[in-house]
Amino acid sequence: MLQLLNITKQFPGVMALDNVSLSVDSGEIHALCGENGAGKSTLMNILTGNLHPDSGQILLNGQAVEIENPAHATALGIAIVYQQLSLVDSLTVAENIYANRQPKNRFGLIQYKTLHAHTQALLNELALPDIRPQELVSELSPGQKQMVEIAKALSQNPAILLLDEPTASLTHRETATLFALLRQLRTEGKAIVYISHRLPELFELADRVSVLKDGRYQGTDQMTSTTPDALISRMVGRRLMAEKSSSSATDEVLLQIQNLSGERFEQISFQLHKGEILGMAGLVGAGRTEIARAIFGIDKHDSGTVQLHGEVVTIAHPADAVRYGIGYLPEERKRLGLFIEQSVAQNIVAAQSPASGPWYNRNRVRSLAESFRQQLGIRTPSVREIAGNLSGGNQQKTMLARWLLVNPDVLIVDEPTHGIDVGGKAEIYAILRGLAAQGKGMLLISSELPELLALADRILVIRDGQLTGELSREEATEEQIMMLATQ
């Protein structure tokens, strides 16, 4: 159904795609793998008309096409679900799903009754009873927003569906619903391109897998004839062994939370020790992020206390938290963590700008940023590069550099490897372990159980806003965590 022949795309100083050729059959779920920066997103943007190749050819059902723009891609039967949501928070679910395609009467006015009926039918098909067509997108959870994004793509009844990390924000139930739907679309003869860094998903779902590395095509395999290790080796050019590191935790208590209650959580109590990585597990929507936001002063808490170094502190604003020595990497790095239109250097000094007297010292900023670029291996042509142009892993390293400059005693990291490839994950893990070895206390929130098991000294489990259990490193297993998170 889809053939790419010798697709090449170059940006200033970067060869994003170098002579890439691959094919996708009708009735196939075709996985596309590669590290961040391998060229996957560039390829998707070419297929949706956001970018045009410098050379090469695209064939649909054997016919050569030039995809002029996103509207043309839609007309050709191509739809995409982006990793970074394209929804408008101030519009309703129905208005987002049928944006620019709303049913209208002969006077050009939107027929909302018909619009809502069409939307409800689509939501029913996707088994999403908790989402209403009239609901504002701003009121939805990240997982619900992702499902609306998927519904938006499916509303176009595409012949070719492109999905970029579609399960990154989904619950287990939503993921199972999506997988069942994709299998149904496969039986209907649709062609599906599925991008994910979660290799177990690919082996569960996909028929074939193609690998990109540094913009070059590395080959295509049947999923039944390859292994996770073989894919990782192709993606990063080396084997990544799961490192087992000794704990750096001490008996000294840095942070103590007592009976903390707020929106979507209550009576949370725990201690975080110097040099400890304390994991926090739970299903999406369990209240983990809300706890982190309350500790950091983004949201108010109703009752309870926060102690640092044995003293009760009042944190009414993130500036208070920073002053007391607490840092926070939010889950949604592009919306809540980065200034994506600013440079890498400006992002690194955002929480503590170095000054020379009363004036902003541009040279000092660039010098500091350059030292962190080298220290953390941030892959960018220059620290003057716009942060939004970096891959997900390098954006995350930029935010880590920001807090290394501030040098907090306590660092809260929420989904630190969300949407990051296996090579980038290994680098982030090494940085977090290094910070713990320096005596930092870290609260690690993650939906990836292997990540928690690899990094955490202890794991707290949150369910429906309550602390349901605590597991040591020795006793923690995926089964134990899921039992506490779901029962």
Side-chain angles (χ1 to χ4, degrees), residues 158-384:
I160 299 171
L161 180 62
L162 316 174
L163 300 110
D164 191 355
E165 297 287 349
T167 63
S169 300
L170 299 187
T171 64
H172 291 286
R173 180 178 64 82
E174 290 166 339
T175 298
T177 299
L178 174 63
F179 283 10
L181 180 67
L182 294 180
R183 292 186 180 106
Q184 176 60 35
L185 293 174
R186 175 170 57 189
T187 65
E188 295 172 6
K190 309 290 188 184
I192 299 167
V193 178
Y194 191 95
I195 298 174
S196 178
H197 296 308
R198 297 179 174 180
L199 298 187
E201 288 185 358
L202 305 187
F203 282 89
E204 178 181 349
L205 191 66
D207 301 298
R208 290 192 297 160
V209 57
S210 294
V211 179
L212 295 180
K213 176 175 171 24
D214 298 328
R216 295 185 178 89
Y217 173 68
Q218 302 296 306
T220 298
D221 290 308
Q222 296 287 335
M223 294 304 304
T224 53
S225 63
T226 189
T227 65
D229 281 348
L231 283 182
I232 290 170
S233 181
R234 269 190 171 182
M235 281 191 281
V236 303
R238 63 188 188 281
R239 291 178 60 85
L240 290 176
M241 302 300 293
E243 297 181 17
K244 290 186 177 181
S245 59
S246 57
S247 172
S248 301
T250 68
D251 293 333
E252 181 181 341
V253 176
L254 288 179
L255 174 71
Q256 182 163 325
I257 305 299
Q258 291 184 312
N259 301 319
L260 199 68
S261 297
E263 186 178 358
R264 298 180 66 182
F265 65 91
E266 59 181 359
Q267 298 295 305
I268 301 296
S269 298
F270 64 84
Q271 292 181 338
L272 173 65
H273 297 86
K274 184 176 181 179
E276 180 182 32
I277 299 178
L278 179 61
M280 187 174 280
L283 302 180
V284 173
R288 300 166 303 163
T289 295
E290 288 77 6
I291 294 169
R293 287 170 61 91
I295 294 171
F296 194 63
I298 299 171
D299 300 329
K300 293 181 180 179
H301 58 272
D302 301 326
S303 60
T305 60
V306 177
Q307 292 184 33
L308 282 166
H309 303 288
E311 295 186 5
V312 175
V313 295
T314 301
I315 300 176
H317 188 276
D320 299 330
V322 173
R323 188 168 63 253
Y324 284 123
I326 302 176
Y328 176 49
L329 270 74
E331 175 183 5
E332 298 181 65
R333 58 178 170 265
K334 282 197 172 181
R335 189 170 71 88
L336 299 176
L338 285 169
F339 303 100
I340 60 172
E341 299 298 332
Q342 299 293 328
S343 70
V344 171
Q346 288 168 315
N347 271 276
I348 289 175
V349 303
Q352 184 174 308
S353 181
S356 178
W359 308 109
Y360 179 83
N361 189 331
R362 183 177 288 105
N363 291 333
R364 173 68 173 152
V365 166
R366 289 175 180 166
S367 175
L368 273 172
E370 179 60 31
S371 68
F372 282 115
R373 185 188 72 81
Q374 296 180 21
Q375 178 184 339
L376 300 183
I378 301 173
R379 296 184 184 91
T380 176
S382 164
V383 294
R384 301 180 188 181

Side-chain angles (χ1 to χ4, degrees), residues 140 205 239 354 422 477:
L140 302 179
L205 191 66
R239 291 178 60 85
V422 288
T477 64

